[in-house]
Amino acid sequence: MNGLHKFRLKYLLTGILTAFLFFTQTWKSAGFYLYNKNFYINLTSSADTIKPVSLKDSSLKKSIHNNSDSSIRVFSDSSRVLKPKIDTIRNNIKIDTFSYKISKDSLDAPVEYEAEDSAVVLVREKKVILYGKTKTNYKDIELTAPVTELDQQTELLTSVNKKDSNGVVIETAHFVQGENKFQSDTIRFNFKTQKGISKNTHTMQGEIHLQGDEMKRIGDIIYAKHGVITTCNLDDPHFGFRYDRIKMVNNKVAITGPIHPEFEKIPIPIYLPFGFFPMNKGRHSGLLPPQFSTNEDFGLGLEGLGYYKVLSEYFDISVRGNIYSYGGWSANITPSYRRRYKYNGRMNFSIQTTKFNFKGDPDYTKNRSYFVTWSHSVDSRARPGTSFSASVNAGSTKYNKYIPNDPNKNYQNQLGSSITYTKSWAGKPYNLTISANHNQNNSIHLISLNLPDVGFTVNTLYPFQRKDQVGTPKWYEKLGVGYNGSVKSQVSFYDTAFRFKQLIDTLQWGGQHSFPITLSLPPILGGKFLVSPNISYEQKWIAQKFRRTWDSTLKKIDTSVTKGAFIDQQISTGININTALYGTFQFKHSRVIAIRHVIRPTVGFSYSPSLSKKHFYETQLDTAGNKYRFSEFEGSLFGSYGEQNFGGLSFSLDNNLEMKMRSKKDTGEAAIKKVRLIDGYGVNFGYNFIADSFKLSTFNFYLRSTLFEKLNITANTTLNPYQIDGRGFPVNKYAWEAGKFKLGRFSNGNLSMSTDFRSKPKDEKKDSARKKKEQQLLNDPLQGNDTQSELEYMRQNPSQFVDFNIPWSINLGFSIYFTEKIKPDYSGFIKDFSSNLNFSGSFSLTPKWNFSVNGYYDLKTKNLQTFQMSISREMHCWQMSINVTPVGTYRFFNITISPKSGMLQDLKINRTRYFYTN
């Protein structure tokens, strides 16, 4: 070796290597590196050339070990590498090629390897041994290890780990091929047969972590014995399933022999004859495991047992059932469908038979109810200009009442559905909408159906506008005409007393048409005022008349309904003038630079003669002879017009406040920020000059703001400027005419405030990745319905999806509402107040413990209507949640311990108790 190292003639070394290849024609190794002071040579059996290559080694060992004549010790020094310049005359360097016979069992690709420490080439044994952070590449295979040996004769690659003086492993071998990764103490792999054997190996596929004392790999199949299969990613997993033998097919399935679970290496005496772990990506058919439950009203239960079936690439269905010891049961059939870039949807049909207590018990009750949900959406790219969507939530009015473990649905009394088809014509102003709607009130068992509901609109047309615009348009070219029309029908019934004849009796239909004509005139007075005249004709089609009459014999009010086809109509004309005023208040020597106030007044003059006077009548209300006027079109689908002529003034005033301030943190232009103090506040009212009474309309006030970008405020109220009599009815006298100055009375109003506070995430990157992943799931058309189902499950079980990355969060909401409503005996009006406070929040007691609550407090009744609290424990690969609902009609507590892995989501320990109060 010393002689060779001192001998620096390049051509002599090349000749020796050429002769060596000539006499060893069956040299099989692909990619052997030999080192010379000036260049490297890669000996490749699959090619007929000797190619100089660049070695990536970084360190240089100065000492030279004594070796036999049959070995060459190679040291790497990348700083001293000089690439040869091939076929250049000026450097007199030339690489010759030659042909030789290639062995039939040679490799079909080069093997490239490198080592940080050194490499030993054993010429006679045809082996290469690499030391120190070695790296070997062959096709898509990459092997890194402390020590690697490549045997050219057997085509075996052997890698071993590295231990310290105490025998502790400090570096292991890593094998990567495509998506498969292996970490082992020892790896032996045959390049030709693609077979390998390893010891004390860990590998991962999807969420599955497989550990085995000995593992054999043949193509895409892995055989292992004496190990653990788990979803915990630690070297010593918290839990797993202990097996003796296992066969795992890449990304398909893992099948074991006898298997049993263990926790913290403590075996659990639950033994199974075999284990089956599906690892297919995407959907696949299979059983849906149940869970046990205990309910005070339903008895012992087995919930969630079912089967999931993939029928095709676009369609699948799941069937689940619950059964209880008192005789109650329920079944759910859920088909779903999807077609990328076209449509996706999901349906669910549920039937439940509820039995409380045993037969013969005084409190024994039985109920059967149904429920249907359907969601459907169409990708806008499927048929531009056309869309179809569905959101159906309908069923028996008692269905939600008997759902266990879901207080939110137990108190959900209002349900609604909508199925809508829309069509717009490209290049034309026409728009068509056809829909079917459903509403139901579970508390009074009333169901209303609107079927069909058809709307057709024609966007504003400008009949006098020139086709080719040249110069400034004439004023009459801005004259626009439009059309809005709708027709619908409605039936209503009580599901507790459904009769087809009653359904026909409640049938209503109606229509509404309007023809607005607008004209946009040029701005006047230097462009500061905009003037817009308008005229409109409206017509309503009504299917029935509703009349009240006083029965002097029985001393009560009777009602009568007359079926038919009736028309109510209205015509109006007017002109609107609007402008905007700006005011700025400057500050000096303050962080607040300025406050700007914007005022947008609008004044309108309109005239609308009443064409509906004949449809109003007066009826006696009580024995005292008090009377009140009603419209015979009361209760129609589109309402009715007023009986008074209107010719007067309408006025509205909209304001907003903005502030410009300088930040303490930034400098320059970046330091100046705009802050919206009040998004909008104002008032609107009207005055009817030709009315014989009540000329001044009510005043409507409103306010909306987001203070400090945290507190959302919305408020509105109505001020009635008239006095009232002893029974609460208004009289034609202003409130300030009563002797004392008084603006009037507030007849209705509401105020809503909400805010939320949360701490910064512990890990910003982790929080951003979570949000990005959620957004991707929501935008995925193939996952849309499944994602919505998961989100619904997360809302129902928040304790199982606690974000420990957010240390604490608080959400608060307050609302108050009041209104005047007529008394049942028509003797006057009363004010009805309601207010509530809703709250939710969570905070981490420790990095692993989280406490969360949410509730609803009714300030009117001073009762806590709903309250839920939960405690969650993060246990690395497992999670624990305790949920308690201690108040309300539906009370329960629940303890759940489950793995985090989605693959093992049904492998959970659950204990639930329900308490129902009539």
Side-chain angles (χ1 to χ4, degrees), residues 751-788:
L751 170 66
S752 299
M753 294 186 295
S754 63
T755 185
D756 65 275
F757 302 93
R758 62 171 50 202
S759 62
K760 292 184 178 180
K762 296 178 182 178
D763 188 339
E764 295 283 354
K765 293 183 179 179
K766 185 177 179 180
D767 187 64
S768 299
R770 177 187 61 82
K771 292 180 180 178
K772 183 178 180 181
K773 184 178 180 181
E774 290 178 356
Q775 194 63 36
Q776 289 175 346
L777 289 174
L778 290 173
N779 294 334
D780 189 347
L782 295 181
Q783 304 268 342
N785 291 291
D786 296 334
T787 301
Q788 293 298 331

Side-chain angles (χ1 to χ4, degrees), residues 850-868:
N850 180 274
F851 178 76
S852 61
V853 297
N854 67 81
Y856 176 90
Y857 184 81
D858 191 330
L859 296 172
K860 181 180 180 180
T861 61
K862 298 181 180 180
N863 287 327
L864 188 62
Q865 298 292 348
T866 63
F867 180 75
Q868 290 178 277

Side-chain angles (χ1 to χ4, degrees), residues 141-189:
I141 297 174
E142 180 178 290
L143 176 65
T144 58
V147 180
T148 299
E149 178 184 298
L150 179 60
D151 192 326
Q152 179 267 333
Q153 288 183 322
T154 61
E155 297 179 349
L156 284 178
L157 185 70
T158 305
S159 296
V160 297
N161 61 13
K162 182 180 180 180
K163 299 180 180 180
D164 60 12
S165 58
N166 296 322
V168 179
V169 176
I170 59 175
E171 190 177 352
T172 58
H174 296 265
F175 181 93
V176 179
Q177 184 174 22
E179 297 180 355
N180 300 321
K181 298 180 180 180
F182 299 84
Q183 178 180 328
S184 308
D185 286 347
T186 303
I187 297 177
R188 299 186 66 195
F189 182 76

